[in-house]
Amino acid sequence: MEKFDHKYDADQIQVLEGLEAVRKRPGMYIGSVSVRGLHHLVYEIVDNAVDEALAGYCKNINVVIEPGNIICVEDDGRGIPVGKHAKTGISAAETVYTVLHAGGKFGGDSGYKVSGGLHGVGASVVNALAEWTEVTIEREGGMYQMTFERGKTVKPLEKIGSSERTGTKVRFLADNTIFETLEYEYDVLENRFREMAFLTKGLRIKIEDKREENTKKSEFCYEGGLVSFVEYLNKNKEKIHTAPIYIEKAGEVAVEIAMQYTTAYSENIYSFVNNINTIEGGTHLEGFKRALTKIFNDYARNKNILKEKDINLQGEDIREGITAVISVKVKEPQFEGQTKGKLGNSEVTGFVINAMNEFLAPFLEENPSIAKTILEKCVSASRAREAARKARELVRKKTSLETSTLPGKLADCSSKNPDECEVYIVEGDSAGGSAKQGRDRKFQAILPLWGKMLNVEKARADKIYGNDKLNPVIVAVGGGIGAEFDVSKIRYGKVIIMADADVDGAHIRTLLMTFFFRYMRPLVENGNVYLAQPPLYKLSKKGIQDIYCYTDDDLARNYEELEKKGILRDQLGLQRYKGLGEMNPEQLWETTMNPENRTLIKVTMDDAIEADKIITLLMGDEVEPRRDFIVDNAKYVKNLDI
Ligand code: 2B7
């Protein structure tokens, strides 16, 4: 064991072993060592500052990405206590940064210990995974500082000056021997802090990126909290009532809900537990849905909107077009599910139902015209669902009559093992032809699409089942559709959209991704959807192998490299590919389909809020914001490839 300049006892040895464990198995504490895990470090630190805000002592949090990917977080809370900690014999502040799971013991009694990103492990984990950490505390008239390297104390807490103010400042550099990359993504952090500001009414969070000369910065502070959140989510949607409905009830479980209906056909509900996004929902979401269904049905019966002979409206009818955010604060949350993103505490359901009964039921009584507008939409959703059911049955009957249930245009692969199979959805017959000839028929299937594709964002479900453009996709993928979609039944592990690298290609890509996002979401969440990346250019010269370039940067880089080898620009032939159709089958295989050479972009759903925003913008009714957005082209392409 290494020597330290201050003595350590049995407790200290435990401490070191604790942080060593974090360095040995970082994934267990922060999920992964990818760029995602890297961002978790920042969330862990910021979460502690947010806790201080929730306790009522901190109003401002500033985050700076400094040159060299150093993160600096500062708050104006009380400052971490500096006194000696009875059990460890070192300062409380040092204990927080060196003892695994030290959280909670110092937090005063703010009620809820809410911090902890997804994993709730706190500052010591960040410290263990940082090349160095520097913590500065202002408190009780003094300024204190301590520093660490890879979790080990370099300088224990010491007073370095005096100060009038109070607060905590943490700077750290993530350890490049642990993380795959140290490059923070400004947009990712920005989105997370915006979300945190929405969830904590009145808290001001600033973020600044000082890595490049042109610094970027944003500032978030919402006096409206969740109401502002819903207004933000609905910014580009057509609302059917002006103000979001707000529900709040404090107690053993604190419940906060904001909701507003739009003319959209999809439902858009986000749920949070202790400021953590529960992407798989759970008992709080269950309570919300149950109460919503019951309250609207009771109201409709009571007001004779539903007649005696009518059957009840179903939950999904009542949720059509809704945008809602549900945020609960729970003392001891139990997370379950595949990604630990589902709340398990059964008692929470009842608390949410009570809050809804107490606030939503009287709201409808007091606002009959809003209630009526919403219910009219629910009733027509219910009719459309019935029509969709009939359409779906028709599709089922039709497909079961045909002996081969697969679409005629599909050139299927010979393997039946989904894990190795992939289907290319290809725009246009000519590209489809090349793909069919160029593919490896053992594991690659080709489904050509042609003609105008339906925009699912502007159509109700009944128009989608049985649509002649989408139906082949549904049948080929094989997992069903909508609520019945079953990702375990899919016929291909990779569903690859292959379209031209131009505006029309981007359009068809977006239409298909929208369809997958709205009607086969688990396929996207599970990471089965990909975009093929055909080359934009070919460089050729007698005597050297053709070089394919996939981006403009790629082209510039290749020119440079060839120049170093003495081959000049004007000695090279440059072909610009306008479409997939210009490539012969061998070229298409070599550049875009051969797993050895190709680049596939995985469509992921890191940020459902961002994805919904983009889809609404690109596919929805409001023309103005869409135009602005498309003008902002760079961002558009980047985000589509999230
Ligand atoms: C459980 C640990 C993590 N802590 C306190 C008090 C204030 C406080 C903190 C913090 C991150 C970057 C700038 C409580 C809580 C430790 O105990 S952590 N502020 N800010 C922070 O980490 N910001 C505290 C009771 C009385 N006085 C201070």
Side-chain angles (χ1 to χ4, degrees), residues 34 36-37 58 114 129 154 221 227 385 442 509 562 617 621:
S34 67
R36 195 184 209 139
C58 156
V114 306
L129 301 176
V154 172
C221 180
V227 168
R385 184 174 44 78
K442 181 167 181 291
R509 254 195 308 276
L562 288 166
L617 272 174
D621 288 316

Side-chain angles (χ1 to χ4, degrees), residues 44-52 57 61-62 73-75 77-81 96-97 102-108 113 115 122-123 139 167-170:
E44 290 296 343
I45 298 299
V46 173
D47 279 341
N48 286 343
V50 172
D51 278 352
E52 186 65 359
Y57 297 97
I61 300 174
N62 295 339
V73 184
E74 202 170 352
D75 73 38
R78 289 166 292 182
I80 308 178
V96 169
Y97 271 78
K105 288 174 208 154
F106 306 96
K113 175 68 198 133
S115 70
R139 197 183 152 91
T168 304
K169 181 164 104 177
V170 179

Side-chain angles (χ1 to χ4, degrees), residues 413 415-423 443 491-494:
C413 50
S415 164
K416 295 285 168 254
N417 173 8
D419 291 337
E420 64 172 5
C421 291
E422 37 191 63
V423 61
F443 66 96
R491 303 177 57 248
Y492 311 95
K494 291 195 175 75

Side-chain angles (χ1 to χ4, degrees), residues 109-138:
D109 199 17
S110 67
Y112 314 99
K113 175 68 198 133
V114 306
S115 70
L118 193 58
H119 304 274
V121 284
S124 61
V125 169
V126 176
N127 192 21
L129 301 176
E131 189 177 317
W132 57 260
T133 307
E134 172 200 279
V135 182
T136 313
I137 295 162
E138 287 160 281

Side-chain angles (χ1 to χ4, degrees), residues 320-464:
E320 188 189 272
I322 200 173
T323 298
V325 180
I326 298 132
S327 168
V328 296
K329 302 268 163 64
V330 181
K331 283 202 178 103
E332 277 176 44
Q334 304 294 320
F335 292 106
E336 43 189 51
Q338 262 190 352
T339 56
K340 297 266 171 247
K342 184 175 181 184
L343 182 67
N345 304 51
S346 57
E347 75 279 9
V348 175
T349 307
F351 279 99
V352 176
I353 291 177
N354 284 345
M356 290 283 281
N357 283 334
E358 204 170 303
F359 285 83
L360 183 61
F363 177 90
L364 298 183
E365 289 295 339
E366 285 157 26
N367 298 274
S369 70
I370 296 179
K372 187 163 164 264
T373 319
I374 296 173
L375 274 163
E376 273 164 8
K377 185 171 160 73
C378 301
V379 169
S380 61
S382 154
R383 293 208 183 99
R385 184 174 44 78
E386 192 49 30
R389 191 183 58 77
K390 285 185 183 142
R392 203 164 50 224
E393 262 168 22
L394 222 77
V395 172
R396 270 208 206 108
K397 262 192 211 134
K398 245 205 287 187
T399 48
S400 64
L401 283 179
E402 289 159 5
T403 40
S404 105
T405 55
L406 292 169
K409 286 262 178 187
L410 176 78
D412 209 0
C413 50
S414 54
S415 164
K416 295 285 168 254
N417 173 8
D419 291 337
E420 64 172 5
C421 291
E422 37 191 63
V423 61
Y424 278 83
I425 303 178
V426 188
E427 177 205 11
D429 271 346
S430 82
S434 289
K436 273 183 202 175
Q437 289 172 49
R439 69 179 169 143
D440 182 334
R441 60 176 62 240
K442 181 167 181 291
F443 66 96
Q444 292 180 318
I446 310 294
L447 180 65
L449 295 180
W450 68 104
K452 203 168 171 291
M453 170 71 87
L454 179 76
N455 179 357
V456 300
E457 201 65 5
K458 290 189 188 162
R460 262 202 176 116
D462 54 323
K463 294 279 180 304
I464 285 154

